[in-house]
Amino acid sequence: MKNLSLLFVALPIVLLVCACKETVPTDLTRNALIPHPREVTAGGEAFRISGRTRISYQDPALTKNAGILAGIIGELSDLEVETENFSDGTKRNRIHLLIEAGDHGLEGYRMRIEKRRMVISAPGPEGIYRGITTFGQMIAVGGVDLSSSGNDDSISGNDDSISSNDASISSNDVRISGNNILVPTGEIRDWPEYSYRGTMLDVSRHFFAPGIVKRYIDQLTLYKLNYLHLHLADDQGWRIEIKSWPKLTSIGGSTEVGGGEGGFYTQEEYRDLVAYAAERYITIVPEIDMPGHTNAALASYADLNCDGVARELYTGTRVGFSTLCTDKEITYRFVNDVVREISEMTPGPYFHMGGDESHVTELPDYIYFVNRVREIVRSHGKTMMGWDEISHADLSEGDIAQYWASSANAERAVEKGARLLISPAQKCYLDMKYDSTTALGLNWAAYIEVDDAYNWQPVTLDEGIGRDDILGIESPLWAETIETLDDIEYLAFPRLIGHAEIGWSSPLDLSWENYHDRLQAHGPLLDRLGVNYYRSDRVW
Ligand code: TNX
C-alpha cells in the first residue's frame, strides 16, 4: 500500500473502522475488471497471499511470467514473493501457473482461486500473461459496488454459491495490508472477442522518442491490447532508418509539424522497441504510408518524383498533396528495399502500406501501385494492411483493409475477400477532441466523449460487415497537435480503455452503466501510475 498512505491521512474515519476488524473480501464478481471478463463465479471465501506464498510455475516457458507476477505483487504490497519451478500444481499456499489446453485460443485463460491456493492456466505464456494482468487489476483496483448500475445480469456470477456477509464488504473487494493480500475465491474464465486489439501512434507528424513509446506500451498492456501500429512515415517526417536509402532519415527525418527537429528510430532502437513490446505480448505493426503522404521521402530523393525534382520539407498539416511516381521502376526498388529492411526487423505478421488520401495519384495509377506493393509485401512474408482506400486494388483473402472513413470501401474490401480492421474515425480516432473545449486534437470527424467512444460495436457499424469479416479493432492517434507523453495520455485515456473492452469482452457484456462504474474505480490506479488522463465529468 506504499503509495496509498495519503489516502489514509485523508480518510481517518475509514481507517478507524477498518482497524477494528479485517474486512474479508469474498465476492469475486465485484472486482472492477476492464475488459469485462467472460465468466466470473464467486466462491464465497478468500485466499491469503502472505510472505510464505510462492509462485510456482510448471514449465520453464513461464519463468518470465512468474517474475512479472511477483513484480506486480511487490509493487502493490510489501511482499517479496518467491518463484519456483515446480510441477505439482496442487500444493497449498501457492499461485500456480500451469500450461493447460483450452478452447478459446492462445489468449484465453482460466483463474481458479481457492481458499488454500490459486491457479492461472492457459495454453501458453500469452494466455497466462493475460490472466496475470487480470490478477494485477484485481489487487490494484479491487471491487466496486456494481449493483447500483442495475446490470448485475451481465456478470455471470453463480449467486447460489456466494456465502459472503454483505455487511462486512466495503467498496473494495480485494484487501492489501502491508504483507498480506486477500483475494476473493472463485473462478474466472476469459478470452478475447477479437484477436486484434490495437492502437496506432503517429510518430511522423511529431516524433516520439523510444522511451515515450515504451511508456505507452506499458499502459496498453494493462488493458490487454495486443497490437501497436506505428505510423512511421508521412509528409512531415520519415522515422525509421533504412540502410539502403540513408537520406530518408538524414533529410526526411530532420523536421516535424511546426518545424521542430524531428528525429527517427535507428534500426537498433526499432528492434529494441519490437522486443520491448513482445515481452509484454504486444506485436508491432509498422506502417510506411504510400503512394500519398510521402513528402518526406520525396524531399530526400529527387528520383522518386515524376519530375525528378526533390520536394521541400513540409511542416504544415495539410494532407493529400504528395505522391510517389507510380510509373518509375525506381519507385518499386525503393519500396522493395524499405519493405525488406523493415520486415526483417519485424517478427509480427503485418506490414501496413498506408494507401490513404492519395488525392494526387490517378486512380488507375493508384490501383497499379497498390497491386505491386501487395506483391512486394507478400514476397517478404508479410500480410498487407492498408487504409480502406486500398479496396480499389486487387485485394483477396489474407489482405486487411483498415476501415477508417468509408463504408463503401470497407464493403468492397469484404466483397473481394479481405478482412477488416475496424477504426471508424467518429468512434475510434483518439486525436478527436472530447468536446469543443479540449485544447489538443482535431474535430473534423466528431467530438468524442468517453461514453461516445464506448457506445458502439464493430458488428453493428454497417449492414454489409459481418462478425467474420472483422479481424479486430484499432484506435489511431494522429499527432498533428500532440508533442509529449502527457499529450498522448490525455487523448488516449480513458477512451482507449473503452476500446480495449469492446475488443476483448463479450458483446453481451458491453453496457455503459456497468462500464462507467468500473472505469470510475480505475481512476485511482491511473492516478497512481501518473497517467495524465482526461477526467471526464461523465465519469469522475
Ligand atoms: C486523416 S486517417 C488521415 C491522417 C490525419 C488524420 C487526422 C487517415 C487514414 N488519414 O493523415 O492525420 O485524418 O485526424
Side-chain angles (χ1 to χ4, degrees):
M1 282 268 192
K2 291 164 205 155
N3 304 325
L4 287 182
S5 47
L6 278 177
L7 196 66
F8 288 104
V9 175
L11 298 170
I13 299 170
V14 172
L15 182 62
L16 277 180
V17 170
C18 293
C20 345
K21 183 172 176 286
E22 187 180 54
T23 316
V24 178
T26 55
D27 188 353
L28 187 62
T29 66
R30 288 192 177 201
N31 281 291
L33 300 172
I34 305 176
H36 194 296
R38 295 281 163 155
E39 294 171 10
V40 184
T41 314
E45 296 180 304
F47 169 60
R48 180 184 301 272
I49 301 171
S50 70
R52 290 194 322 261
T53 309
R54 289 193 187 165
I55 298 169
S56 179
Y57 56 100
Q58 158 229 34
D59 192 295
L62 302 178
T63 312
K64 194 182 79 191
N65 277 319
I68 292 171
L69 179 54
I72 291 174
I73 292 171
E75 255 170 49
L76 293 164
S77 69
D78 295 334
L79 288 170
E80 283 176 38
V81 175
E82 283 179 36
T83 65
E84 61 181 16
N85 183 194
F86 192 74
S87 59
D88 177 1
T90 63
K91 257 199 138 185
R92 290 182 162 210
N93 215 353
R94 297 285 187 278
I95 302 177
H96 295 281
L97 305 182
L98 301 182
I99 306 273
E100 204 172 73
D103 301 331
H104 298 288
L106 290 178
E107 291 187 288
Y109 68 91
R110 197 172 152 203
M111 182 162 16
R112 281 160 283 173
I113 307 164
E114 297 166 7
K115 198 163 179 210
R116 305 277 173 228
R117 66 179 73 71
M118 66 173 274
V119 182
I120 303 177
S121 60
E126 190 173 0
I128 298 282
Y129 183 76
R130 303 295 172 222
I132 288 172
T133 61
T134 300
F135 180 76
Q137 283 193 14
M138 280 169 54
I139 60 177
V141 180
V144 65
D145 186 1
L146 293 166
S147 54
S148 62
S149 59
N151 270 285
D152 270 358
D153 289 353
S154 64
I155 297 176
S156 44
N158 176 355
D159 278 347
D160 297 343
S161 68
I162 300 177
S163 60
S164 61
N165 171 1
D166 261 6
S168 73
I169 296 178
S170 65
S171 64
N172 189 331
D173 255 353
V174 177
R175 290 273 164 276
I176 305 176
S177 62
N179 51 8
N180 264 292
I181 301 177
L182 286 168
V183 192
T185 59
E187 176 161 349
I188 295 177
R189 285 167 182 270
D190 202 13
W191 63 91
E193 179 69 14
Y194 296 105
S195 63
Y196 188 118
R197 307 172 307 280
T199 181
M200 184 209 84
L201 183 63
D202 169 10
V203 297
S204 173
R205 270 52 176 273
H206 284 98
F207 179 65
F208 295 99
I212 294 180
V213 180
K214 286 183 179 177
R215 183 66 212 268
Y216 193 42
I217 288 171
D218 291 343
Q219 296 164 354
L220 305 181
T221 194
L222 290 173
Y223 295 100
K224 298 186 169 58
L225 295 175
N226 62 349
Y227 283 89
L228 173 62
H229 165 182
L230 292 175
H231 185 76
L232 291 166
D234 209 304
D235 291 318
Q236 296 86 346
W238 187 284
R239 307 299 180 204
I240 176 79
E241 176 188 18
I242 301 295
K243 304 242 192 226
S244 52
W245 297 74
K247 289 196 287 185
L248 290 170
T249 43
S250 64
I251 296 175
S254 65
T255 191
E256 60 185 10
V257 167
E261 66 180 21
F264 64 92
Y265 307 125
T266 63
Q267 293 206 347
E268 205 177 359
E269 286 170 329
Y270 176 81
R271 285 181 204 272
D272 179 56
L273 273 182
V274 167
Y276 187 89
E279 290 257 303
R280 287 148 188 84
Y281 299 91
I282 289 179
T283 302
I284 298 289
V285 178
E287 177 188 350
I288 298 295
D289 204 347
M290 45 195 169
H293 288 278
T294 43
N295 189 77
L298 298 168
S300 307
Y301 288 96
D303 282 350
L304 298 176
N305 297 276
C306 283
D307 60 10
V309 179
R311 297 296 181 262
E312 295 291 313
L313 290 167
Y314 181 67
T315 60
T317 59
R318 277 188 304 119
V319 296
F321 60 88
S322 55
T323 185
L324 293 172
C325 191
T326 58
D327 50 19
K328 273 186 171 179
E329 260 329 284
I330 189 174
T331 296
Y332 301 97
R333 281 208 300 281
F334 162 77
V335 172
N336 186 59
D337 287 337
V338 168
V339 175
R340 175 176 46 77
E341 289 197 30
I342 293 176
S343 295
E344 278 168 7
M345 302 187 285
T346 308
Y350 302 113
F351 186 96
H352 199 303
M353 55 81 55
D356 59 311
E357 298 173 321
S358 296
H359 301 323
V360 294
T361 320
E362 296 296 328
L363 187 57
D365 297 341
Y366 176 85
I367 292 171
Y368 173 77
F369 178 84
V370 174
N371 287 346
R372 286 200 60 178
V373 172
R374 178 164 162 268
E375 291 315 313
I376 291 169
V377 168
R378 290 183 170 197
S379 77
H380 294 291
K382 298 298 177 195
T383 292
M384 186 179 80
M385 273 191 181
W387 299 101
D388 60 45
E389 291 95 323
I390 63 165
S391 72
H392 290 286
D394 293 344
L395 301 186
S396 64
E397 217 173 299
D399 299 318
I400 309 292
Q402 187 166 5
Y403 176 8
W404 68 281
S406 160
S407 60
N409 283 344
E411 287 175 14
R412 189 181 314 113
V414 165
E415 277 157 26
K416 291 182 175 178
R419 296 183 82 204
L420 300 173
L421 185 55
I422 302 290
S423 309
Q426 288 81 356
K427 298 292 180 188
C428 283
Y429 269 31
L430 298 174
D431 63 317
M432 291 299 120
K433 291 174 184 287
Y434 290 95
D435 64 28
S436 61
T437 69
T438 312
L440 299 170
L442 305 172
N443 63 3
W444 64 263
Y447 292 120
I448 307 179
E449 248 296 347
V450 179
D451 52 344
D452 302 319
Y454 184 84
N455 276 323
W456 68 284
Q457 293 204 23
V459 274
T460 52
L461 206 55
D462 188 296
E463 283 193 349
I465 301 172
R467 171 66 185 82
D468 292 344
D469 303 321
I470 300 174
L471 171 69
I473 156 173
E474 184 177 283
S475 316
L477 178 49
W478 299 99
E480 285 92 337
T481 66
I482 60 174
E483 297 182 56
T484 63
L485 176 65
D486 268 1
D487 295 348
I488 292 174
E489 291 173 349
Y490 188 77
L491 288 177
F493 295 102
R495 289 181 292 199
L496 182 57
I497 299 175
H499 296 155
E501 172 147 307
I502 293 172
W504 178 283
S505 300
S506 162
L508 301 174
D509 283 331
L510 301 180
S511 139
W512 166 251
E513 288 73 23
N514 185 288
Y515 172 70
H516 167 277
D517 292 1
R518 285 178 288 122
L519 180 59
Q520 200 172 52
H522 278 242
L525 172 62
L526 297 173
D527 286 331
R528 206 159 63 205
L529 295 171
V531 178
N532 181 39
Y533 63 102
Y534 165 62
R535 275 97 173 155
S536 169
D537 61 14
R538 300 199 185 176
V539 184
W540 290 282

